[in-house]
Amino acid sequence: MSLSFNLLKATLSLSLSPSISFSSKCSFSSSVFSPRPIFSRVSRSSLSTKTAMGSAPDAAMDAVQRRLMFDDECILVDESDNIVGHDSKYNCHLMDNIELNKALHRAFSVFLFNNKFELLLQQRSATKVTFPLVWTNTCCSHPLYRESELIEDNALGVRNAAQRKLFDELGIVAEDVPVDQFTSIGRILYKAPSDGRWGEHELDYLLFIVRNVNVNPNPNEVADVRYVNQEQLKELVRKADAGEDGLKLSPWFKLVVNNFLFKWWDHLEKGTINEIVDMKTIHKLT
């Protein structure tokens, strides 16, 4: 009994450690960031055992995805995008937390176009915990609770995170996607279940960039890629809506497509994209 209690106490102590681990692939400063005192970590008292060890339904989880779920610390925000804390990617994507605790985290969606203004799409890998094998925009992920990705000025932290994940997922090197070349178009807030256990509840920054890049997808993250023009994307959307060929689109991508994308795409081709940038509004989409 005493041994079990001591092990549980050690596990809780580790799970509450404020240290942040840095990816070796990240091109930014690797100095450890001490969380600001005004930010608070959401209590993990009811989920600490799951966070440290996983649970029975997680037994088949891919090892790489498991590591990311437990090691990555997402930035918790309120509906006005104010930072209110941080928690593991695992906890942020449990539907129980989303529904009961209203857990909301910051995210980003990159739309990368080549010089012919074709949009690069990816199909998420089969090993992804949420929305496996669905087609979506170029790269979708989260800024992490680390110094370089918490920078609020002109969404620099989010753009740093986007550069990092484009390399992690698609092998696009940082030199090909400089952070100053991203245009932050706007923000959306949405909630979407993936299955009965997992889901998304995100305040999502939408980033556009036009660059010709070399793509070398990471198979643990990406199953397939393709470039599409506007007409080809409209056909993909039609097929997904009709359930043809087993094609599925991510819910956040469909929301952007249905509400904004083609109008923004036109502005991008005309060179007038800055005319429609709106970082003051947070669009709540369902």
Side-chain angles (χ1 to χ4, degrees):
M1 179 70 178
S2 177
L3 178 60
S4 299
F5 176 79
N6 288 335
L7 285 173
L8 178 58
K9 184 177 179 182
T11 299
L12 287 170
S13 176
L14 286 172
S15 72
L16 291 171
S17 171
S19 63
I20 306 297
S21 61
F22 283 76
S23 166
S24 61
K25 294 180 179 178
C26 183
S27 61
F28 310 107
S29 171
S30 59
S31 59
V32 174
F33 173 59
S34 298
R36 304 174 189 176
I38 60 170
F39 301 157
S40 61
R41 180 190 295 269
V42 166
S43 172
R44 294 185 179 182
S45 58
S46 62
L47 291 169
S48 58
T49 303
K50 281 185 180 180
T51 302
M53 298 179 291
S55 58
D58 304 326
M61 189 184 295
D62 173 79
V64 173
Q65 296 299 327
R66 176 189 293 272
R67 176 179 60 78
L68 295 174
M69 283 296 237
F70 293 147
D71 289 354
D72 284 359
E73 290 277 321
C74 294
I75 301 167
L76 298 175
V77 294
D78 62 21
E79 291 193 355
S80 297
D81 201 19
N82 299 306
I83 299 174
V84 297
H86 58 106
D87 207 348
S88 69
K89 183 178 176 183
Y90 184 101
N91 283 345
C92 287
H93 290 82
L94 285 170
M95 281 307 296
D96 283 351
N97 272 352
I98 292 170
E99 296 293 356
L100 298 177
N101 300 324
K102 310 300 181 186
L104 174 66
H105 59 276
R106 190 174 284 172
F108 63 82
S109 291
V110 174
F111 295 76
L112 185 149
F113 301 81
N114 61 21
N115 64 359
K116 295 188 290 185
F117 296 105
E118 295 170 326
L119 173 61
L120 179 62
L121 304 182
Q122 69 154 278
Q123 184 184 32
R124 293 163 65 86
S125 77
T127 64
K128 298 290 279 188
V129 175
T130 57
F131 302 99
L133 294 177
V134 305
W135 283 90
T136 192
N137 49 283
T138 312
C139 180
C140 323
S141 191
H142 321 92
L144 300 181
Y145 193 76
R146 57 176 61 167
E147 186 173 13
S148 63
E149 298 181 14
L150 282 162
I151 302 170
E152 301 279 354
D153 186 37
N154 198 22
L156 179 57
V158 174
R159 291 184 285 124
N160 284 339
Q163 185 189 64
R164 171 178 58 83
K165 286 303 291 184
L166 283 167
F167 179 73
D168 288 348
E169 294 190 1
L170 295 161
I172 300 173
V173 297
E175 292 79 7
D176 284 352
V177 282
V179 292
D180 63 358
Q181 294 299 302
F182 289 98
T183 299
S184 189
I185 303 293
R187 294 174 291 177
I188 64 171
L189 193 158
Y190 76 96
K191 179 169 65 175
S194 176
D195 53 29
R197 180 170 169 77
W198 303 103
E200 296 283 8
H201 190 206
E202 297 185 330
L203 202 152
D204 195 10
Y205 285 65
L206 308 177
L207 306 176
F208 274 32
I209 186 168
V210 181
R211 304 283 292 185
N212 284 343
V213 298
N214 293 315
V215 178
N216 183 25
N218 174 358
N220 197 264
E221 296 282 347
V222 178
D224 199 3
V225 295
R226 68 174 73 168
Y227 280 96
V228 295
N229 59 32
Q230 290 200 36
E231 294 307 312
Q232 290 167 332
L233 179 56
K234 289 174 182 177
E235 178 62 10
L236 284 178
V237 172
R238 185 197 66 77
K239 286 185 175 181
D241 289 344
E244 294 182 16
D245 303 329
L247 186 71
K248 294 182 180 179
L249 302 180
S250 73
W252 60 89
F253 183 44
K254 287 190 67 175
L255 287 170
V256 176
V257 169
N258 292 339
N259 288 276
F260 308 112
L261 182 57
F262 293 111
K263 178 182 71 174
W264 290 355
W265 201 332
D266 288 339
H267 277 280
L268 189 69
E269 293 190 27
K270 294 174 184 175
T272 57
I273 194 67
N274 288 330
E275 293 180 6
I276 49 87
V277 169
D278 177 9
M279 291 304 296
K280 294 181 179 179
T281 306
I282 297 174
H283 301 275
K284 296 182 180 181
L285 303 180
T286 57

